[in-house]
Amino acid sequence: RTPAIDHQPTPAIHLAPQPTMTLPRSSINAIRSNLDRAVSSKDPAAIATAIDVPLTNVVVGSPSGDGTSNSSGSVHREQLKVDSVDWSNVLNYLLDVHLAIVSNDLASIYEAQSSLHSAVNHNLSSTKGNWLIPGIHTVCRNTHRAAALADEFVNRNAGTKNDHKRLQNAVTLLQASYSKTLNDRVELRPNEPLSEEGSKKVGVLYIVNQLFSMYFQLNTLRLCKNLLKPVESRSIHESGTMGEMVTYRYYVGRLNMFEDQYELAEQNFDYALKHCHKSAVANKKRILNYLIPVKLLRGRLPTTKLLEKYSLYEFVPLLNGMRTGNLMEFSDGLMKNQDLFIRRGTYLLLEKCKMICYRNLFKRIWKIVGTEQIKLDYIAASFKWLGMPIDLDEVECILANLIFKSFIRGYLSHAKRVLVLSKKDPFPTAKVIK
């Protein structure tokens, strides 16, 4: 006889909640101690060091964490109060950033860093003086960096290029820092040491430069105008550190360039290059990437020695083509580095330099022919010899533009197909070199 199966109820299994992962107590104590000491002493350099996080060690790859970010609040529950100001949120979100860095979890890193930024912004309003400004600068830099890394990671995984959600969110955090520093009621005194009586306006220029960088990355240049007027009306752009003023002039020069204000652009780039630290070779090269195209358009050709010194070899064929009127060399150089110039935003500017190349070619033809009346057939023949054959109507069109721009003095005889040059200074240098 088969024994009956005993249907006993299965006992319920109660799963204990998994403990939330936090930093080791030794790490928490060290970070807490550094922050407490810096805030208590109101040491500007110490507060910047205490709030800083090692984002340079973060790699854009597969996170070792679960890839989820904690948006409901900090996982740490530490308490810190100094001089009646609560620093608990700053401490806890700082610990969260360090924890996310250990996991190399870019989503969590940015989430924690943005929360840390908000907490520091809040405490900036609760503190007197400007001793917290280096700390604000640190979180602004790290928020920008964390947002860029998180966006890069998301775009790489999704196979896209235009997801800038985190960078756009970071802009609002930096705008809040900008407003809190700009609207401080204490009068700004240049070169005044950071203290409990100083003006928070001393921190404006650094934040503006970070915002400029983010606006250029997001291609929202119209927002730059919102920063220029408040800063320049208060002369804040003239009272920062030399590094901040150089960076400011660099971005304003780029903005001038995109608005076709080439004279202003040249002035700003010249200032940035002249005052850039002599050992900052990479920064000087960045400035020259934009200064050289502006100067080329204004007829000022750099030396080959300068291009070699900063490894700016992409400009060599353009320089040689403009100097000798060799349109083929100029066009080939422009086409070869087209993608590079488009990324920088200088391609259309460099294409305008072709008019100077035309002008120098026609000047050479005039010297060879030796007369003020030049048959258009001669000019067409020179284009053919360069490997760029064009018909006489195109020659007339090019010449008409050069005459209109005053690069050439003379007139065209359509009936006779002849260019008649002025007997006095037919190729005025003053109209080219401005």
Side-chain angles (χ1 to χ4, degrees), residues 137-198:
H137 289 174
T138 298
V139 294
C140 284
R141 183 187 68 243
N142 287 340
T143 299
H144 182 183
R145 174 67 174 157
L149 287 170
D151 281 339
E152 184 183 350
F153 174 70
V154 170
N155 285 320
R156 183 179 296 184
N157 282 1
T160 59
K161 293 183 179 180
N162 299 318
D163 185 351
H164 301 298
K165 182 179 177 181
R166 284 137 293 273
L167 191 60
Q168 290 167 344
N169 177 261
V171 165
T172 61
L173 292 167
L174 269 79
Q175 286 172 338
S177 300
Y178 166 73
S179 297
K180 289 178 184 295
T181 51
L182 182 69
N183 296 326
D184 187 29
R185 294 182 180 181
V186 180
E187 183 182 352
L188 175 64
R189 296 182 179 87
N191 303 319
E192 186 181 41
L194 300 174
S195 66
E196 291 185 72
E197 290 79 33

Side-chain angles (χ1 to χ4, degrees), residues 36 47 101 122 140 159 163 176 179 184 230 241 260 267 278 295 315 342 359 367 375 391 395-396 402 416 422:
D36 189 2
I47 192 71
I101 289 174
H122 176 76
C140 284
D163 185 351
S179 297
D184 187 29
T241 65
D260 296 335
Q267 290 173 9
K278 62 181 180 180
K295 284 191 176 289
F315 292 110
I342 288 174
R359 179 255 188 200
K367 286 185 175 181
K375 292 181 180 180
D391 58 33
V395 172
E396 280 194 24
L402 289 170
K416 296 182 179 180
S422 170

Side-chain angles (χ1 to χ4, degrees), residues 125-397:
S125 304
S126 307
T127 56
K128 293 181 179 180
N130 55 13
W131 59 274
L132 190 52
I133 291 300
I136 280 287
H137 289 174
T138 298
V139 294
C140 284
R141 183 187 68 243
N142 287 340
T143 299
H144 182 183
R145 174 67 174 157
L149 287 170
D151 281 339
E152 184 183 350
F153 174 70
V154 170
N155 285 320
R156 183 179 296 184
N157 282 1
T160 59
K161 293 183 179 180
N162 299 318
D163 185 351
H164 301 298
K165 182 179 177 181
R166 284 137 293 273
L167 191 60
Q168 290 167 344
N169 177 261
V171 165
T172 61
L173 292 167
L174 269 79
Q175 286 172 338
S177 300
Y178 166 73
S179 297
K180 289 178 184 295
T181 51
L182 182 69
N183 296 326
D184 187 29
R185 294 182 180 181
V186 180
E187 183 182 352
L188 175 64
R189 296 182 179 87
N191 303 319
E192 186 181 41
L194 300 174
S195 66
E196 291 185 72
E197 290 79 33
S199 173
K200 294 182 176 69
K201 290 188 181 76
V202 73
V204 169
L205 198 57
Y206 182 92
I207 301 171
V208 166
N209 289 334
Q210 288 289 330
L211 283 169
F212 275 153
S213 176
M214 297 164 89
Y215 290 156
F216 273 92
Q217 285 177 268
L218 294 169
N219 198 25
T220 53
L221 304 188
R222 68 187 185 281
L223 297 177
C224 294
K225 288 290 185 182
N226 299 336
L227 304 175
L228 289 176
K229 190 174 180 180
V231 167
E232 297 190 357
S233 64
R234 294 171 171 84
S235 299
I236 294 174
H237 65 300
E238 297 174 352
S239 58
T241 65
M242 184 54 69
E244 291 169 353
M245 291 191 288
V246 165
T247 305
Y248 179 83
R249 290 296 192 97
Y250 165 74
Y251 281 115
V252 174
R254 287 182 64 181
L255 196 61
N256 295 147
M257 189 186 74
F258 289 125
E259 293 176 342
D260 296 335
Q261 298 175 329
Y262 300 120
E263 186 175 353
L264 281 175
E266 185 175 4
Q267 290 173 9
N268 283 308
F269 287 137
D270 276 336
Y271 178 95
L273 185 64
K274 180 180 178 181
H275 294 89
C276 188
H277 196 278
K278 62 181 180 180
S279 63
V281 178
N283 288 341
K284 286 188 175 184
K285 186 174 179 178
R286 287 190 187 96
I287 297 167
L288 287 168
N289 284 335
Y290 297 95
L291 177 58
I292 289 175
V294 171
K295 284 191 176 289
L296 287 177
L297 184 64
R298 293 172 60 78
R300 301 164 188 262
L301 307 186
T303 62
T304 305
K305 185 178 179 180
L306 176 72
L307 300 182
E308 290 176 350
K309 180 179 179 180
Y310 293 100
S311 303
L312 297 167
Y313 299 110
E314 64 270 24
F315 292 110
V316 172
L318 307 184
L319 176 64
N320 293 338
M322 290 178 67
R323 184 172 283 139
T324 61
N326 189 336
L327 276 167
M328 177 61 78
E329 186 173 6
F330 181 92
S331 298
D332 287 349
L334 195 61
M335 185 60 65
K336 180 181 178 182
N337 298 291
Q338 180 178 2
D339 291 342
L340 175 63
F341 294 140
I342 288 174
R343 284 198 303 274
R344 290 177 185 168
T346 58
Y347 179 79
L348 294 178
L349 177 61
L350 289 167
E351 200 171 46
K352 291 179 182 178
C353 298
K354 190 177 286 187
M355 296 304 291
I356 299 175
C357 202
Y358 284 135
R359 179 255 188 200
N360 290 342
L361 171 63
F362 297 153
K363 185 176 181 179
R364 296 190 75 184
I365 295 170
W366 167 64
K367 286 185 175 181
I368 293 170
V369 173
T371 177
E372 282 74 31
Q373 296 188 12
I374 304 173
K375 292 181 180 180
L376 300 189
D377 289 327
Y378 294 161
I379 297 175
S382 67
F383 275 89
K384 186 177 180 180
W385 182 81
L386 286 169
M388 304 172 67
I390 60 174
D391 58 33
L392 296 184
D393 289 336
E394 289 180 87
V395 172
E396 280 194 24
C397 183

